[in-house]
Amino acid sequence: MALSFAQSTFFVSTRPSLFFRRNGGSLKRCNVLACFTNYSSSFPYSTGAMPADNKAPVHRHKWRAPVASVLELGGLKVSKDEIVRDDPTNNVPDTIFSKLGMQLHRRDQHPLGILKNAIFDYFDTNYPNKFDKFDDLCPIVSVKQNFDDVLVPPDHVSRSYNDTYYVDSQTVLRCHTSAHQAELLSRGHTHFLVTGDVYRRDSIDSTHYPVFHQMEGVRVFSPNDWEGSGTDATSYAAADLKICLEGLAQHLFGGVEMRWVDTYFPFTNPSFELEIYFQEKWMEVLGCGVTEQEILKRSGRSNNVAWAFGLGLERLAMVLFDIPDIRLFWSADERFTSQFSSGQLGVKFKPFSKYPPCYKDMSFWISDSFTENNLCEVVRGIAGDLVEEVQLIDNFTNKKGMTSHCYRIAYRSMERSLTDEEINDLQWKVRDQVESKLKVVLR
């Protein structure tokens, strides 16, 4: 369950994909993916406009799965016009659309693919032929799948327009791999791992990116499993969960010291975070817990108990491979990609970029609707991966009640030197777009 189980997933705080298709009552992976050719006609957006306060759009129409099209090797075919729209209920930018279908987690010689396969190896060794693996499920899901099915409260901040990418008022780019949990449970899967790309509007720095990758694991128990154990069902599942995940941590990090921290997630009770003592500090590895009975009940499993965990692949891969900047995972530069080989977990990355950053400051009076996530979306939309960080360095409120923010933008390429002319051009475009789109007054 990955609601902030991962980056730490919604269990914290980074693809061809396939829609589930019902066919004869069984779950099938289509070898085709969303083209949305007959999709938009079912959504009269004029009645579901996005409010100015960045809250989730009003849901007034029934969600329907999109029509599928051919999924090609290395990426999926999706009509851009159906995902990136000039519509008040849509906030998916071109930069995010371009990441759909990249499937970094399915590349065996990529750090994320290497880590995913190492986790698969652990489960295959310790639970032979038990866990079904899904790493190609579609990231375009309904609001119900993404939030309601995992008991995310209606007023939870993650539902807001500020935090989530909405295709329309009833459809989102999944925020977590838990969006598929209810469907899999209802289809009869009792042991499964789901890996995939997830999307969240976020800040800009070396550890945050609007697209990242998560893995979720679920195991369901029947009364025969815990009866006679001398413990109740919840205690039995929690104990099994901890044994499983302590073994996984040792598999990935070696003989490290570990500790469990009680926490809260809306979809598990009790809930825990696993921390390890690594490189002379405590580090959160994942979030987990015993699945809320309401989730199982809705899936037709009232007599069962289950556990779930979620982890962020980038978070762990940056530590295991010594990768200093999350943008590097998306690099096609051979100086990066050639350093990693299938099955070689923990090979230390050798930096090849010594290029200096260039800093530009920007001050403006904010409006009531201003959010930092919206600012970061504008900056990313113009500078892409050339922007390294956006940091608030000063703010104050004057006697008239007007609030000023000053942000420092760091530009740096991981692969080449940037020219002054190039940086100045980007900064002027950023200033223009920030003023026009965010309704602020530049100072």
Side-chain angles (χ1 to χ4, degrees):
M1 174 104 26
L3 181 61
S4 248
F5 279 163
Q7 203 179 10
S8 136
T9 44
F10 253 127
F11 278 110
V12 197
S13 191
T14 319
R15 8 198 194 194
S17 303
L18 306 176
F19 269 104
F20 290 124
R21 175 179 284 173
R22 291 173 175 79
N23 187 351
S26 62
L27 173 68
K28 291 198 175 184
R29 293 192 184 111
C30 311
N31 59 359
V32 288
L33 199 272
C35 177
F36 303 92
T37 52
N38 296 316
Y39 189 33
S40 60
S41 61
S42 62
F43 296 102
Y45 300 107
S46 60
T47 62
M50 186 67 64
D53 59 3
N54 288 310
K55 293 183 179 179
V58 178
H59 302 158
R60 300 187 183 179
H61 301 282
K62 185 176 180 181
W63 183 85
R64 279 173 37 190
V67 177
S69 72
V70 175
L71 172 65
E72 295 185 345
L73 183 64
L76 56 86
K77 288 273 188 176
V78 181
S79 170
K80 178 179 176 181
D81 290 343
E82 296 294 339
I83 302 298
V84 181
R85 303 169 180 168
D86 184 15
D87 187 277
T89 64
N90 181 286
N91 64 344
V92 182
D94 291 347
T95 52
I96 295 300
F97 177 83
S98 68
K99 298 295 191 292
L100 286 167
M102 294 293 286
Q103 297 187 302
L104 300 185
H105 62 286
R106 301 190 74 195
R107 301 181 186 184
D108 290 343
Q109 298 194 67
H110 189 280
L112 299 182
I114 295 168
L115 175 56
K116 180 201 74 173
N117 290 332
I119 298 172
F120 281 0
D121 288 344
Y122 170 77
F123 280 92
D124 287 342
T125 300
N126 292 275
Y127 305 90
N129 302 314
K130 271 196 176 293
F131 280 81
D132 299 322
K133 304 179 190 70
F134 301 89
D135 66 357
D136 56 359
L137 302 179
C138 186
I140 305 164
V141 300
S142 69
V143 167
K144 178 179 181 296
Q145 289 172 300
N146 198 71
F147 297 119
D148 300 338
D149 285 350
V150 287
L151 310 183
V152 178
D155 59 351
H156 196 281
V157 65
S158 62
R159 290 180 181 256
S160 74
Y161 184 78
N162 185 59
D163 283 32
T164 294
Y165 290 108
Y166 280 83
V167 177
D168 57 60
S169 65
Q170 304 249 353
T171 313
V172 299
L173 301 184
R174 66 183 171 211
C175 301
H176 52 156
T177 48
S178 300
H180 306 288
Q181 184 182 116
E183 181 82 26
L184 288 167
L185 286 170
S186 66
R187 290 292 163 185
H189 295 275
T190 59
H191 298 67
F192 55 87
L193 302 171
V194 179
T195 314
D197 44 320
V198 297
Y199 300 78
R200 296 185 201 166
R201 302 175 93 238
D202 213 336
S203 55
I204 299 177
D205 58 38
S206 63
T207 62
H208 291 86
Y209 201 78
V211 188
F212 55 102
H213 299 76
Q214 293 181 350
M215 180 183 291
E216 163 158 319
V218 172
R219 184 179 187 183
V220 179
F221 300 92
S222 66
N224 290 336
D225 293 316
W226 69 79
E227 288 176 351
S229 67
T231 62
D232 61 88
T234 298
S235 299
Y236 181 89
D240 184 89
L241 170 66
K242 290 183 177 182
I243 291 171
C244 173
L245 296 182
E246 286 175 1
L248 175 60
Q250 290 177 344
H251 178 72
L252 297 177
F253 292 95
V256 292
E257 184 180 354
M258 289 176 266
R259 68 184 183 188
W260 290 96
V261 179
D262 292 338
T263 188
Y264 166 79
F265 303 121
F267 24 70
T268 55
N269 184 25
S271 302
F272 315 101
E273 290 174 348
L274 175 61
E275 296 183 349
I276 65 171
Y277 195 72
F278 190 72
Q279 297 178 346
E280 300 185 347
K281 63 181 179 180
W282 285 102
M283 182 185 79
E284 180 188 343
V285 175
L286 50 80
C288 61
V290 178
T291 306
E292 283 282 3
Q293 282 302 116
E294 180 63 24
I295 294 175
L296 295 172
K297 180 180 178 181
R298 293 180 183 182
S299 301
R301 297 184 172 277
S302 299
N303 296 325
N304 298 102
V305 68
W307 56 243
F309 75 85
L311 56 84
L313 293 181
E314 278 89 345
R315 180 186 182 89
L316 301 186
M318 290 180 77
V319 175
L320 289 165
F321 293 95
D322 279 354
I323 295 174
D325 194 305
I326 198 170
R327 293 176 298 163
L328 279 165
F329 289 110
W330 299 92
S331 176
D333 193 309
E334 288 188 0
R335 291 172 295 177
F336 177 77
T337 59
S338 64
Q339 294 191 36
F340 309 102
S341 301
S342 178
Q344 300 298 307
L345 181 68
V347 172
K348 302 307 180 186
F349 169 67
K350 297 179 177 62
F352 56 84
S353 173
K354 303 295 184 182
Y355 305 113
C358 178
Y359 298 101
K360 295 289 184 179
D361 292 351
M362 178 172 56
S363 298
F364 47 81
W365 300 105
I366 67 171
S367 63
D368 291 340
S369 62
F370 173 81
T371 71
E372 191 168 300
N373 279 357
N374 286 339
L375 171 64
C376 290
E377 283 294 304
V378 171
V379 177
R380 274 200 181 100
I382 295 168
D385 285 352
L386 295 181
V387 59
E388 179 175 73
E389 185 175 30
V390 174
Q391 181 182 17
L392 178 66
I393 61 172
D394 184 50
N395 70 92
F396 69 90
T397 301
N398 66 13
K399 294 180 179 180
K400 296 181 179 180
M402 298 173 63
T403 299
S404 171
H405 283 186
C406 180
Y407 285 90
R408 177 159 295 163
I409 303 175
Y411 297 96
R412 180 182 355 214
S413 170
M414 307 298 292
E415 301 167 358
R416 62 184 177 85
S417 292
L418 301 176
T419 66
D420 289 339
E421 182 180 5
E422 188 175 11
I423 296 299
N424 289 336
D425 182 58
L426 288 173
Q427 183 68 5
W428 280 112
K429 289 178 179 177
V430 166
R431 289 174 60 88
D432 288 344
Q433 290 295 305
V434 165
E435 187 171 36
S436 63
K437 289 187 175 182
L438 303 186
K439 309 304 180 185
V440 302
V441 178
L442 295 174
R443 298 181 59 213

